[in-house]
Amino acid sequence: MIKMQVEGRADQVQSFLCQLEQGSQVKLVHKEWEDKEMSQPDEVCFKCYVQKQPDQQMRIVQLVTAGGGEIRIPLFDVIHAEIEEGVKVFAGRNFDMFP
């Protein structure tokens, strides 16, 4: 596990953390905002712990239908983003061994 401290303008730090969480190479294990006196009023300090993920890690994206059914999609190199509250987008690679 790697401990990382990020300092800077709040909007830049937030953008960086979103990109970090969406990447498939690292997994964000824990994050915490620091109460630290910064030189500028719009700056923040953030600590997080990350783990390096093996290349091409597979994840299962699970969708639940309105009728309660489940759809499970195995994906490699998953990238996910929440584009607005409650609306998420997933992207990744999938292949069929038996076409």
Side-chain angles (χ1 to χ4, degrees), residues 55-96:
D55 290 340
Q56 304 211 7
Q57 178 184 5
M58 186 180 71
R59 293 186 182 171
I60 305 294
V61 175
Q62 183 174 330
L63 307 172
V64 179
T65 67
E70 292 183 3
I71 301 170
R72 297 169 54 89
I73 306 169
L75 293 174
F76 289 97
D77 299 329
V78 175
I79 297 173
H80 69 277
E82 186 166 4
I83 57 175
E84 62 183 54
E85 189 172 333
V87 179
K88 297 179 182 181
V89 175
F90 293 88
R93 298 181 302 114
N94 185 312
F95 66 92
D96 186 358

Side-chain angles (χ1 to χ4, degrees), residues 6 10 13 16 19 29 36 44 54 61-62 70 72 90 94 99:
V6 181
V13 170
F16 173 76
Q19 290 174 357
V29 177
K36 181 178 176 183
V44 295
V61 175
Q62 183 174 330
E70 292 183 3
R72 297 169 54 89
F90 293 88
N94 185 312

Side-chain angles (χ1 to χ4, degrees), residues 18-34:
C18 285
Q19 290 174 357
L20 184 66
E21 288 180 321
Q22 293 171 7
S24 63
Q25 297 300 312
V26 295
K27 177 182 178 186
L28 192 58
V29 177
H30 177 74
K31 56 186 176 181
E32 57 191 50
W33 292 100
E34 288 288 307

Side-chain angles (χ1 to χ4, degrees), residues 3-17 20 32-48:
K3 179 180 178 181
M4 186 167 57
Q5 180 170 320
V6 181
E7 296 180 10
R9 284 191 0 226
D11 60 333
Q12 291 177 337
V13 170
Q14 185 64 34
S15 174
F16 173 76
L17 292 174
L20 184 66
E32 57 191 50
W33 292 100
E34 288 288 307
D35 283 333
K36 181 178 176 183
E37 192 67 35
M38 303 300 288
S39 60
Q40 299 294 323
D42 66 338
E43 288 190 341
V44 295
C45 180
F46 190 84
K47 286 186 181 175
C48 58

